[in-house]
């Protein structure tokens, strides 16, 4: 109901400003991935008969069988994750089917837990939506289908057939496919906007609702990634988005159906030790000065004379390791490095990790590959130069604080044209281009192809030490 009230407040504010919504041809949107909404029996009739003289909050009070939606921060479904992996034939087999091993926050495991712990509320449910398809349902005036891209973050969809995986449905809840509905392509036009929004807010009757998707897939659309591209968000934690054609699901990271190209995929990797770790090394080795930090990168050679570092101040997600581990050119562990060498060891190590785990999910450098950099550290050209060298690809800076919202608008426009075969990139071809900020050094490929193999071997050692 908080989300419903928020939509009321937003649209009422737009109405008071006098914004003319009659020119809106199509709309789409995004919601935080993995969260779920449980509609009570009879809610579909309420959606069809909304009174434009009343706000949504008044009319939908009794429409949900579960008052508080499970969201991505819920990690209480470990038992259900174990059950799902056992039913699928193990964690890796589940990843091969659904794109990810079982995660507590993923929707299927949350549904299984709710069915077991609150059977009466579950029995009173006639439809289960993701946050994205829930929002689309409000605009549609009926239950909206879950799109392929967001449904691949549920541990329920077969990412290759793009249909619900029967083995996962059976392990989660009986007749679950009836509660979820049939998933649809992310470019699908679901129908015209509800008459409620026409009469209350002045939308045009011909305005179309395009399938909503998750926040991460919408961000990929907003950044306009293409085949072979990789986006690196350098924030408090570092996030890597990939456009891939042939996925290789693994026990780490996630493979989702691509939101703008039906035959392609996107991969997502998250690394907890990002900018905060860079700031710590800056403070310790560069006198808290980014200028000195950058100077250290310029004054040291590609490959750092063989010195490699792993800097996991907190337990890392990918890989699950902790601690600071430094190695010299002969793979001997050392307790310290000179300040300038330490700075380069950190930055090279971080980007070697990003490349290694991206390649394990199916990423490969092809002609035309671009690295799109965003986030706070993307303003540092010397850090981006190392990124370019490690990936042996040009780096472009892209400054988007609201890539999810922009991606949703792009997808709405594409939805109108997709049925006629127009590609997403034809639709957004006039959008501002990212700016080239770094190109790889001529010797980068030779240096870092060798370093990557060493890094992979040393990472195994670090993991073994962490486990022991």
């Amino acid at each position: 109901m908080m989300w419903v009230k928020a939509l009321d407040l937003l649209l009422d504010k737009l109405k008071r400003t006098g914004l003319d919504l009659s020119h809106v041809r199509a709309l789409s949107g995004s919601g935080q991935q993995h969260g779920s909404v449980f509609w009570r029996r009879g809610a579909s009739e309420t959606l069809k008969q909304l009174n434009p003289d009343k706000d949504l909050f008044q009319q939908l009070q009794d429409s949900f069988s579960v008052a508080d939606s499970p969201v991505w921060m819920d990690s209480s479904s470990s038992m259900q994750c174990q059950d799902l992996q056992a039913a699928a034939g193990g964690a890796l087999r589940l990843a091969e089917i659904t794109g990810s091993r079982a995660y507590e926050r993923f929707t299927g495991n949350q549904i299984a837990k709710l069915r077991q712990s609150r059977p009466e509320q579950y029995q009173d449910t006639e439809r289960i939506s993701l946050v994205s398809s829930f929002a689309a349902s409000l605009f549609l005036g009926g239950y909206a289908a879950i799109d392929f891209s967001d449904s691949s973050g549920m541990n329920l969809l077969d990412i290759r057939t793009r249909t619900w995986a029967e083995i996962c449905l059976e392990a989660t809840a009986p007749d679950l496919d009836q509660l979820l509905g049939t998933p649809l392509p992310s470019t699908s036009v679901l129908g015209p906007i509800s008459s409620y929004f026409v009469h209350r807010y002045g939308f045009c009757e011909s305005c179309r609702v395009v399938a909503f998707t998750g926040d991460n897939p919408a961000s990929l659309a907003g950044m306009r990634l293409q085949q072979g591209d990789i986006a690196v968000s350098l924030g408090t934690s570092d996030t890597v988005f990939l456009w891939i054609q042939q996925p290789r699901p693994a026990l780490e990271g996630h493979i989702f159906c691509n939101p703008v190209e039906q035959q392609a995929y996107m991969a997502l990797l998250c690394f907890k030790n990002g900018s905060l770790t860079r700031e710590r090394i800056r403070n310790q080795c560069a006198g808290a000065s980014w200028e000195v930090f950058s100077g250290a990168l310029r004054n040291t050679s590609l490959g750092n004379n063989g010195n490699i570092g792993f800097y996991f101040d907190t337990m890392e997600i990918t890989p699950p390791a902790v601690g600071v581990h430094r190695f010299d050119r002969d793979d001997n562990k050392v307790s310290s490095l000179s300040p300038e060498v330490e700075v380069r060891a950190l930055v090279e190590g971080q980007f070697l990790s990003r490349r290694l785990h991206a390649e394990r999910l199916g990423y490969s450098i092809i002609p035309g590959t671009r690295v799109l950099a965003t986030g706070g550290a993307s303003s540092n050209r010397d850090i981006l130069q190392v990124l370019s060298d490690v990936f042996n690809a040009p780096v472009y800076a892209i400054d988007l604080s609201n890539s999810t919202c922009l991606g949703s608008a792009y997808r709405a426009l594409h939805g109108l044209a997709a049925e006629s075969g127009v590609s997403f990139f034809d639709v957004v071809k006039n959008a501002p281009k990212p700016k080239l900020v770094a190109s790889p050094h001529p010797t980068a490929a030779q240096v870092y192809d060798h370093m990557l193999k060493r890094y992979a071997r040393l990472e195994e050692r670090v993991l073994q030490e962490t486990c022991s």
Side-chain angles (χ1 to χ4, degrees), residues 223-398:
M223 291 186 286
R224 307 192 307 282
L225 258 66
Q226 304 173 30
Q227 182 179 349
D229 282 351
I230 180 169
V232 182
S233 177
L234 301 171
T236 303
S237 59
D238 289 351
T239 305
V240 173
F241 293 88
L242 307 168
W243 175 299
I244 54 178
Q245 292 297 123
Q246 299 299 326
R248 293 200 296 265
L251 294 179
E252 58 191 24
H254 312 290
I255 303 289
F256 302 135
C257 297
N258 193 297
V260 300
E261 172 55 59
Q262 190 169 329
Q263 301 308 314
Y265 297 86
M266 66 171 285
L268 178 69
L269 288 160
C270 189
F271 302 86
K272 188 178 294 184
N273 293 276
S275 284
L276 295 182
T277 306
R278 289 187 284 270
E279 289 173 8
R280 179 180 68 79
I281 296 298
R282 177 205 63 183
N283 294 342
Q284 289 184 358
C285 300
S289 166
W290 283 119
E291 185 176 345
V292 175
F293 186 97
S294 295
L297 294 176
R298 293 192 299 270
N299 294 333
T300 47
S301 60
L302 275 68
N304 210 16
N305 291 319
N307 294 292
I308 291 179
F310 297 77
Y311 298 82
F312 305 136
D313 291 356
T314 59
M315 177 61 77
E316 186 52 87
I317 300 170
T318 312
V322 70
V324 175
H325 311 264
R326 306 174 184 87
F327 298 89
D328 65 17
R329 64 189 308 163
D330 298 316
D331 294 349
N332 297 312
K333 199 162 188 181
V334 295
S335 60
S336 63
L337 299 168
S338 69
E340 286 192 340
V341 172
E342 184 103 86
V343 169
R344 178 166 279 274
L346 164 72
V347 178
E348 282 189 345
Q350 287 185 325
F351 293 151
L352 284 166
S353 177
R354 310 315 180 239
R355 178 178 165 184
L356 173 67
H357 293 282
E359 289 185 356
R360 287 177 175 174
L361 285 178
Y363 170 76
S364 59
I365 299 170
I366 62 174
T369 286
R370 304 175 304 168
V371 179
L372 303 180
T374 186
S378 65
S379 61
N380 187 310
R381 296 296 180 90
D382 296 289
I383 289 177
L384 297 188
Q385 183 60 57
V386 178
L387 177 62
S388 178
D389 290 334
V390 170
F391 278 85
N392 190 35
V395 172
Y396 293 79
I398 182 166

Side-chain angles (χ1 to χ4, degrees), residues 5 48 116 159 204 403-404 446:
K5 184 66 174 179
K48 292 176 185 176
Q116 295 165 16
I159 60 171
C204 179
S403 58
T404 11
Q446 180 181 353

Side-chain angles (χ1 to χ4, degrees), residues 10 30 50 90 103 120 127 137 140 196 229 231 272 314 323 378 393 401 437 439 455 457-458 460 468:
L10 173 64
S30 68
L50 292 171
Y103 283 90
E120 292 183 4
R127 182 74 169 217
S137 300
L140 195 63
Y196 172 85
D229 282 351
K272 188 178 294 184
T314 59
S378 65
S401 58
V437 291
S439 297
Y455 187 92
R457 292 197 306 269
L458 293 171
E460 290 299 321
S468 62

